[in-house]
Each structure stands twice: as C-alpha cells, then as structure tokens.
Amino acid sequence: MRYLPDGEQMKSADAYTIEQLGIPSLVLMERAALKVVEALYERKMDLAKVLIVCGSGNNGGDGFAMARLLHEKGICAEVLFAGKESSLSEECALQKKIAERIGISVFTDLPHREYTVVTDALFGVGLSREISGKYADIINWMNEQDCRKVAVDIPSGVCARTGRILGTAFRADLTVSMECVKLGCELFPGKACAGETVAAPIGINKDIFKDNTDVCFTYDKEELPLLLPKRSVDSHKGSYGKVLMITGSSGMAGACFLSAKAAYSAGAGLVQIYTAEENRQVIQQLLPEAVVSCYSGYDEAQLAGLLKWADVVCIGCGLGKSATSEQILIHTLKEADVPCVIDADGLNLLSGYTELLKRSSAPLILTPHMMEMSRLTGKSVEEIKTDRMEILRAFVGEYPVVCALKDSRTAVAQSGRQTFLNLAGNNAMAKAGSGDVLAGTITGLLAQRMGAFEGAALGVFIHACGGDEARKEKGAYSVLARNLTAGIENVLRGQNGGENQL
C-alpha cells in the first residue's frame, strides 16, 4: 500500500522529519529539486529552454534549486518570480540568492519568449484560498504556452484535500510529488490538472501516517499476491464459501448472471442464486455452475433457510423495488448474521430503512454510486463530489458499515480505518452491469473469509484491474460488463493462489 496524504497531513510529516529527526529543510529541498530534474530527463523532455515559475514559499525554493541544477548541466533555465520579497521563506530566500549569484535570469514580469518546458513551483500543498488577480493571470498564461508542463509537488490551484479547483489551476502533463502523491492530485477534477503523477522519495518519514485514520491509501498491482486469500492444497468447494445471491426481479436475469459469475471468478466455492421464478431457465443456461432457487412472492420460511445456509449474502442487483423485494430486503437485514453486500435496488430500498443499519448483527458492505449515496445521506450529488471523503467518513461514523462509494475514483471506508482510494480502472468500464460485477467480486472474496473492509477494498481494486485488462482487449468503447469478469480472470490467472499452502 502507499499513502495519499492531503496537504496538512504532508506538512505534519515534513515537520516531523525536520524537527524530530533533524533532517534540515534545505536538504529535503535539494533532494526535491534533484528528483524533478531526474523526472524531466527520464521522460526525455526537450530542455532547450526551461521556465520555472516560483512563489515565495518552500515550493518556490524547490523551483529555484531546480533552476540551479539545470543551469549546472548547461541548460538554459530562467525563473519568473511571482511571489513577494517580503513573504520569502528562509529557504526560498537563500535559494533565490544563490540562483541570482550564479547568473540565472530571474525576472518578475511575464516574458515574451517561447519555452520548451514550463514548471510550476508557485504554490505548494498549503494553498486553501481561491486564486485571483495577478496569480490567476500568471497561471492562465502558463496554461496557454505551447510546451510541456510540469508541476512541483502539486499543480497550483488544486486543493490537496479535495481535488477542487481553487478558482483556476495549472494544467500539468506531469506532477512530481514529494514522497507521496497528494490526495487532491488523484481526485477529480484535480487529477485532470495533475496529469501523470509520480511520487519522488526525498527522505520524509511516513511513519506518522500509520496511526492516522484520516490518511488515505491505495494499492498497486504488484501487491496482489500479498492481498489475495490463500487457497490450500487440501480443500474443497466448501472451503471457499457458500454464496447466496438475492438478485434479479422479473426480466433482470442479466444482473443475476453477472454478479454470480463474478463471485465464482473471484474464487467463491459455491453460488446459489435466489431470484424471481421467471429467471430460472435463463440463469440455468447462462451459468450451470450455480444453484438456482426461485420465488413467486415473499416466502419467509424459504428465505430463512437460505440465509441459514449461506456464508455470505449479496442482495440488490436487479432486485427491483416491488413490495416483495422490500420484504426480502428487510427480512435479510433483520435476520442475517453473515456478511451482506448490499447493492443497486437494495440500496434504493434501504434509503427508507437506514435505521436497520444500526440494528443489523451482520457485517454490512454497501456499494452505492453517487446518486444512491445521495438518497442514503440526503446530500446532493454535487455536495458529495465536492467533499466526498468527509461525507463518506461521516456516513460510516454514523452507521456501522463498510461503504464503497463508487465513482471514477471509488473510495472504501469504515469507521476507525484508513480509507482506501482506488486508482486503477478506466472509462471503458462505464457500462450497465459493471456494478453487478463489482458486487459479485466483493462477495466472492468475502466468501473466502476475508474481512469486510479488506474484501471490499480488494474487490474494488481487482474489479478495476479487470477493467484495465478488458480495455486492452476491447478498446475504450466496446467493453461490456461480461468482459470485466473475463478481465478479472486474466488478472487472477497469474496468481498461484497460495497453492503450496497446506
């Protein structure tokens, strides 16, 4: 895992490194400048003429140091100083003085020259106010230049906590972040301004993040072997869990199929689908590996027996919002004592019975998209998009659930845990049925005895990696939900499943 801190969290780590460990701020600044220069060379950028726009703080100090390093390599590097002399930090003032003494051109008016690279070292992670006036004019001018654009740590104008654009923002092709990529660089719309993001290790100690539940984290694909549940040589289908999928109202057999197939693809041992009678024949043809049980109306005894049989339940995919569906959901929430994944129509019905979330004895995993989250919280979609992390944390603080808030950047949260932010996946996944596949994937992992939070976070990640595989195969336009399941199978194909585990 790797951390995605916001501005305040990163400043705390920076201060701890300097004040408690004794690494001087100037040392960190020199390392930061060196990492940005290295990134330029690694990407073979045209460095014929480089402009670095510097502010008065330590972000500007990084920029001045970068200009000096390029100058020492014989590169024509100039500096537009956009800050105030009276506001210079001690380190930035020293770097500015050195740059001027060795002959680097430092000026304060917008130049009338062309550059091959423009670098933004104007504001750092501490920016919280709207950008206007002179600074807005400078950023807009930078964006208009026809060249490669690089941001130091974070693009100026992007909120490091929410990814919100503070009036205007620098639009980078590359953002070189110090030690950790900042949260705002991965949340939209900030991500659209950050371009490619890379974390540059400069020696800032990250131990301070370990016990801070407000810090977000993410996974990288190389970690999958360590994250997946192990599979013993001495095992049978019961070893990997009995899944009950309460899915699919009349005419919604596709949701049954997609979610159940995904549960099997994620490694579940046995899947039983409980669905409307009209879906029986279609499901038996599409997925003969599944057991199919059907209802024509609410059958309390039948449902009680199925819940007693199951190791994990998934409810809601294509369930509909009929009176029968409502009765089935309420019964499940009241009586189930195994993990329950609630998706789609299950969430829509649940929005009228949120008090049941506090009374359920089962671990509950909710997978709402933005509109479903709006119904659950009473907040508008725009409010949620603007401050999703705070709203998500407040929701899991009020209700004892795991919540996977689906979007282009899906976040998984539980009270007392660090929030997982998924960075995998792509826009080809924006198709009907994608959510059914996700719900099934999470359910399949939970069936293998994973914890509720761990299973939800890993399920989101594997689902997204499957989407990346599907896009390689089908392109950006033609991916269908069924292709996501095939993609998941490709992702997991290379994992040995702990086959030597006895």
Side-chain angles (χ1 to χ4, degrees), residues 317-328:
C317 304
L319 187 65
K321 294 182 283 185
S322 67
T324 297
S325 299
E326 188 172 340
Q327 289 175 302
I328 290 173

Side-chain angles (χ1 to χ4, degrees), residues 182-406:
K182 309 309 178 287
L183 179 62
C185 288
E186 295 295 358
L187 293 174
F188 286 94
K191 176 60 178 175
C193 291
E196 178 193 357
T197 54
V198 57
I202 62 171
I204 297 176
N205 190 286
K206 295 176 286 190
D207 290 346
I208 195 172
F209 296 149
K210 290 180 180 178
D211 298 321
N212 187 345
T213 57
D214 288 336
V215 178
C216 293
F217 72 97
T218 193
Y219 292 140
D220 293 315
K221 194 171 180 180
E222 294 74 20
E223 299 175 79
L224 271 177
L226 301 175
L227 299 171
L228 288 166
K230 302 302 180 185
R231 299 179 75 85
S232 172
V233 172
D234 183 19
S235 61
H236 52 82
K237 63 178 181 286
S239 305
Y240 305 117
K242 296 175 290 186
V243 171
L244 177 63
M245 310 293 295
I246 306 176
T247 55
S249 57
S250 178
M252 296 295 289
C256 303
F257 165 69
L258 290 168
S259 54
K261 179 73 157 46
Y264 267 135
S265 295
L270 178 61
V271 176
Q272 182 167 187
I273 301 171
Y274 187 47
T275 188
E277 181 65 43
E278 295 90 331
N279 294 330
R280 181 189 295 274
Q281 185 174 356
V282 175
I283 295 303
Q284 288 177 330
Q285 290 176 344
L286 287 174
L287 194 65
E289 297 90 344
V291 177
V292 182
S293 300
C294 295
Y295 61 83
S296 298
Y298 172 56
D299 187 328
E300 182 177 354
Q302 182 188 29
L303 181 55
L306 291 170
L307 292 174
K308 186 175 181 180
W309 169 86
D311 294 317
V312 60
V313 175
C314 177
I315 182 168
C317 304
L319 187 65
K321 294 182 283 185
S322 67
T324 297
S325 299
E326 188 172 340
Q327 289 175 302
I328 290 173
L329 176 73
I330 293 171
H331 180 126
T332 301
L333 287 175
K334 287 182 176 180
E335 301 301 327
D337 58 5
V338 296
C340 292
V341 177
I342 307 173
D343 185 51
D345 285 330
L347 296 168
N348 292 326
L349 293 168
L350 179 64
S351 61
Y353 298 94
T354 51
E355 73 278 0
L356 292 177
L357 295 177
K358 296 180 179 180
R359 292 160 48 189
S360 176
S361 61
L364 301 179
I365 302 90
L366 279 55
T367 57
H369 56 54
M370 285 290 174
M371 183 57 73
E372 290 162 347
M373 191 67 170
S374 177
R375 296 187 188 105
L376 289 169
T377 62
K379 296 185 180 297
S380 70
V381 171
E382 190 57 38
E383 286 179 284
I384 298 170
K385 282 184 173 290
T386 298
D387 208 4
R388 71 189 69 200
M389 292 302 179
E390 292 305 313
I391 291 172
L392 179 57
R393 289 186 182 117
F395 182 75
V396 298
E398 181 178 359
Y399 299 106
V401 302
V402 174
C403 185
L405 178 55
K406 298 184 295 193

